[in-house]
Amino acid sequence: MQNPIRLDETDRFILHELIQDARIPNNILASRAGIAPSTCLNRVGALRRAGVIKGFHAEVDLEAMGLIVIALVSVRVSQQSRSRMLEVTQNLRNMPGVQSVFLLAGDKDLMIHVACRTPQELRNFIADNLASDPAIASTQTNLVFDHLTPGG
C-alpha cells in the first residue's frame, strides 16, 4: 500500500460489498453501509488512493469463452534459476492461457492457474512452455472440477 490507512468496520463493509459487486451504484452502497453517499464516495476514493482497492475488474466466465479445462500447475524452479525467480514468473504470467501465477513458500515455488479449451491444449501448454524450460525443474498438474467463490 502506498499510504497505509487504518480500516474501520465501515471500510471493511464497503470492501466486502465491492468484492461481491464492483459495479454497485454508490447510493446503494452508501445505503447498505448506513452512511451518506458523499461520505461513501470519499471513503472509496481514500481506499483507492491508499492502494487498498487496486482496481475494478470484470469476472469472465471461462467456460463461455470455450476454456473448459482448468488446471492448477505447481512448479519447482531449478536451483540454478532461483536468482531469476521474478523473471521466470513474469515469463509465465504472459503466456497464453495463464490466468494467474502465485509465488509460494513450501516445497513448490509457483502455482499457475491455466485455462485451456481441451486436455490436449493443456498437455501442449505444459510440454511446450514448462517441460522444455531449463528454469523449471518439475511440475505437478491438478485439474479443477469447480471453483467456488465467497458469495458466489
Side-chain angles (χ1 to χ4, degrees):
M1 286 189 290
Q2 300 148 345
N3 302 315
I5 64 171
R6 190 176 302 269
L7 300 177
D8 65 14
E9 189 175 320
T10 302
D11 292 323
R12 291 187 204 305
F13 182 84
I14 289 170
L15 291 169
H16 178 267
E17 291 295 308
L18 289 172
I19 289 169
Q20 299 304 310
D21 180 6
R23 294 178 49 133
I24 186 172
N26 183 65
N27 60 334
I28 294 173
L29 179 59
S31 175
R32 289 182 185 172
I35 57 178
S38 60
T39 301
C40 186
L41 197 59
N42 287 336
R43 281 183 177 249
V44 170
L47 290 166
R48 288 187 74 191
R49 286 188 299 281
V52 176
I53 297 174
K54 294 182 177 184
F56 298 91
H57 310 279
E59 182 179 347
V60 177
D61 183 341
L62 296 174
E63 192 171 322
M65 295 175 53
L67 301 171
I68 60 172
V69 179
I70 310 299
L72 296 174
V73 182
S74 55
V75 173
R76 279 202 86 201
V77 174
S78 66
Q79 196 63 36
Q80 59 269 27
S81 297
R82 293 204 175 276
S83 63
R84 298 180 27 245
M85 183 76 77
L86 291 178
E87 178 188 338
V88 170
T89 303
Q90 282 291 58
N91 290 341
L92 291 170
R93 181 177 101 149
N94 294 319
M95 291 179 181
V98 173
Q99 305 301 304
S100 302
V101 178
F102 302 92
L103 277 80
L104 307 174
D107 66 334
K108 304 296 184 197
D109 299 308
L110 306 170
M111 182 70 70
I112 310 168
H113 175 202
V114 182
C116 300
R117 290 184 302 251
T118 65
Q120 294 76 18
E121 188 176 296
L122 175 61
R123 182 193 63 218
N124 292 343
F125 172 84
I126 293 166
D128 297 344
N129 298 304
L130 304 180
S132 63
D133 186 341
I136 296 177
S138 66
T139 65
Q140 181 178 356
T141 303
N142 295 285
L143 292 179
V144 175
F145 294 132
D146 204 351
H147 178 208
L148 308 174
T149 59

